[in-house]
Amino acid sequence: RERLGVDLRDSQILLLGAGGAARAAAFALCHENISSLTIANRKLERAQALVNDVQKDIPSTTAIPIEDTYLGRSARVADLIVNATSIGMSHGGNEGRSPLSADHIQPGTTVFDMVYTPTETALLAETRKAGALGLGGLWMLVYQGASGFELWTGKIAPVDIMYRAAETAL
């Protein structure tokens, strides 16, 4: 939110994935006064379990399979799309792939791809092609490190320096 400058209040969110990173995102969204959350996952039961965990805070929460028909429909109405899957990650089975194509992403949509390697994922390329705003996962990784730095040292983390170092390292 800080890097994109978006206000999530009353937004419709599409969350791709239902693992640990998706759970963290879903619970963070519980405090953002969003209007709806759709969780898409390969295993529908896992998405439904996450829906059950956040539904008291986000009443309009649904689970869908991560299949093109359902996904495309949900993506087209989303204000924010969060990719919390490994699709597109370097050295993985889905390297170079995108969970969504540009025709599923509306120009006014914001896309956050938690994948941080490569820094330019196929999803971010599709996002730009659609004329939408996108952000890669490197900032999330840096903020996780910054949180640990502050916890251990009691000092404010030099986030911009950390980002440049992470960018260089990757």
Side-chain angles (χ1 to χ4, degrees):
R1 178 172 19 103
E2 192 173 300
R3 289 291 159 186
L4 290 169
V6 295
D7 181 2
L8 299 177
R9 199 173 353 177
D10 299 322
S11 294
Q12 295 182 62
I13 314 293
L14 172 60
L15 177 59
L16 308 178
R23 289 184 68 76
F27 280 101
L29 289 167
C30 287
H31 306 287
E32 296 295 332
N33 295 315
I34 64 172
S35 66
S36 68
L37 175 63
T38 301
I39 302 169
N41 198 57
R42 283 180 300 126
K43 295 181 181 174
L44 191 56
E45 330 61 73
R46 193 164 184 187
Q48 188 58 54
L50 183 51
V51 165
N52 295 342
D53 290 342
V54 298
Q55 204 156 34
K56 69 178 178 57
D57 294 309
I58 309 170
S60 182
T61 304
T62 56
I64 62 169
I66 200 163
E67 295 170 9
D68 201 42
T69 305
Y70 297 101
L71 201 53
R73 192 175 318 131
S74 296
R76 285 185 195 95
V77 298
D79 298 301
L80 172 68
I81 299 169
V82 178
N83 178 31
T85 73
S86 60
I87 298 171
M89 187 178 294
S90 292
H91 312 295
N94 290 308
E95 181 175 1
R97 294 187 58 215
S98 176
L100 293 168
S101 64
D103 56 330
H104 291 133
I105 304 168
Q106 299 301 308
T109 303
T110 300
V111 176
F112 175 52
D113 192 350
M114 287 188 181
V115 172
Y116 58 86
T117 179
T119 53
E120 178 63 22
T121 64
L123 177 56
L124 291 176
E126 292 295 312
T127 298
R128 246 191 337 284
K129 187 175 167 184
L133 179 63
L135 182 70
L138 187 56
W139 278 110
M140 186 177 85
L141 179 66
V142 168
Y143 277 111
Q144 287 173 331
S147 179
F149 177 90
E150 291 174 5
L151 180 68
W152 284 96
T153 67
K155 298 178 182 177
I156 295 173
V159 176
D160 290 327
I161 293 170
M162 293 171 71
Y163 182 84
R164 286 192 302 275
E167 199 174 33
T168 300
L170 291 176

